[in-house]
Amino acid sequence: SAVISQKPSRDICQRGTSLTIQCQVDSQVTMMFWYRQQPGQSLTLIATANQGSEATYESGFVIDKFPISRPNLTFSTLTVSNMSPEDSSIYLCSVEDREETQYFGPGTRLLVL
Amino acid sequence: AQSVAQPEDQVNVAEGNPLTVKCTYSVSGNPYLFWYVQYPNRGLQFLLKYITGDNLVKGSYGFEAEFNKSQTSFHLKKPSALVSDSALYFCAVRDISNYQLIWGAGTKLIIKP
């Protein structure tokens, strides 16, 4: 299975600022996903990020608020822009391997004050 | 519409007893089904999956799940629970139309000594 790391693991930010979350994979993968999760609750998909194409955003999520980069097959970033307390959440990246299984990073815990 | 249901918010089991965490699904076509576990303050870990083949699938940490097409279920089971199995468990089904995972609400499993 792929080994995925995320930076930062947690952060406390002021409203109106932006935070960029990094996701690094130890192998080349085509499909990467960004999720949001409230503690103890289910996952909500933000967007799918494939290398070489624009990210595809789910309903309720827009590129201006959550810009995503996917410069190569092992790396992606998610930026949470102009943050408000409602953005406080856990942000997870995942990758899909060739056997159609998603593996997840450890997550980034974000608190916006 | 494709969906996944985990009818129990919480399951309590005594250590050493068998455990079952329930999952039912509604999909068009053949389902790809997954179980993930999330330990406190950790990312999601893949446990097992069913795509095709034997209805009984074995996974990590002694867990197994049985695919039942007639009942559209994919219940997670373990013959003898450990206190360390206490965690949040998610069932998911892969949407073949867009390769995304559709997630259940999650079931909190509590194993009491």
Side-chain angles (χ1 to χ4, degrees), chain A residues 81-98:
Chain A
S81 303
N82 189 25
M83 288 183 286
S84 66
E86 292 70 34
D87 295 320
S88 298
S89 191
I90 301 168
Y91 292 85
L92 296 159
C93 72
S94 74
V95 304
E96 183 173 277
D97 69 3
R98 294 183 179 183

Side-chain angles (χ1 to χ4, degrees), chain A residues 31 33 35 37 40-43 45 48 58 92 96 99-106 109, chain B residues 32 34 36 38 41-44 46 49 51 88 90 94 98-101 103-106:
Chain A
M31 299 185 75
F33 305 87
Y35 290 88
Q37 182 189 27
Q41 297 186 22
S42 191
L43 283 73
L45 182 64
T48 302
E58 297 303 303
L92 296 159
E96 183 173 277
E99 297 180 355
E100 299 167 314
T101 300
Q102 284 193 29
Y103 294 93
F104 286 80
R109 286 180 172 266
Chain B
Y32 288 24
F34 302 81
Y36 287 82
Q38 187 173 36
N41 300 312
R42 302 275 296 277
L44 273 76
F46 168 71
K49 69 180 179 185
I51 294 179
L88 188 57
F90 291 99
R94 194 165 186 261
N98 60 16
Y99 307 108
Q100 295 175 4
L101 286 179
W103 295 87

Side-chain angles (χ1 to χ4, degrees), chain A residues 10-77:
Chain A
R10 58 178 63 231
D11 207 341
I12 301 173
C13 301
Q14 297 297 319
R15 68 172 67 210
T17 63
S18 297
L19 176 72
T20 295
I21 302 168
Q22 299 179 10
C23 180
Q24 180 76 51
V25 191
D26 68 342
S27 58
Q28 294 184 339
V29 293
T30 301
M31 299 185 75
M32 295 183 76
F33 305 87
W34 286 98
Y35 290 88
R36 187 167 70 182
Q37 182 189 27
Q38 296 297 330
Q41 297 186 22
S42 191
L43 283 73
T44 300
L45 182 64
I46 297 172
T48 302
N50 293 335
Q51 197 270 337
S53 62
E54 295 290 325
T56 302
Y57 289 83
E58 297 303 303
S59 176
F61 298 96
V62 295
I63 187 171
D64 290 346
K65 175 68 175 177
F66 297 100
I68 288 171
S69 77
R70 182 78 200 274
N72 57 53
L73 291 173
T74 64
F75 187 77
S76 178
T77 67

Side-chain angles (χ1 to χ4, degrees), chain B residues 13 29 55 98 104:
Chain B
V13 178
N55 290 342
N98 60 16

Side-chain angles (χ1 to χ4, degrees), chain B residues 2 7 9 12 17 19 24 39 50 53 57-58 60-61 69 71 76-77 89 92 95 97 111:
Chain B
Q2 302 186 89
D9 292 335
N12 298 296
N17 283 1
L19 69 87
T24 59
Y39 297 102
Y50 171 85
V57 179
K58 294 186 182 297
S60 306
Y61 311 122
K69 187 173 184 178
Q71 297 185 6
L76 182 70
K77 300 181 180 183
Y89 290 80
D95 186 334
S97 67
I111 309 299

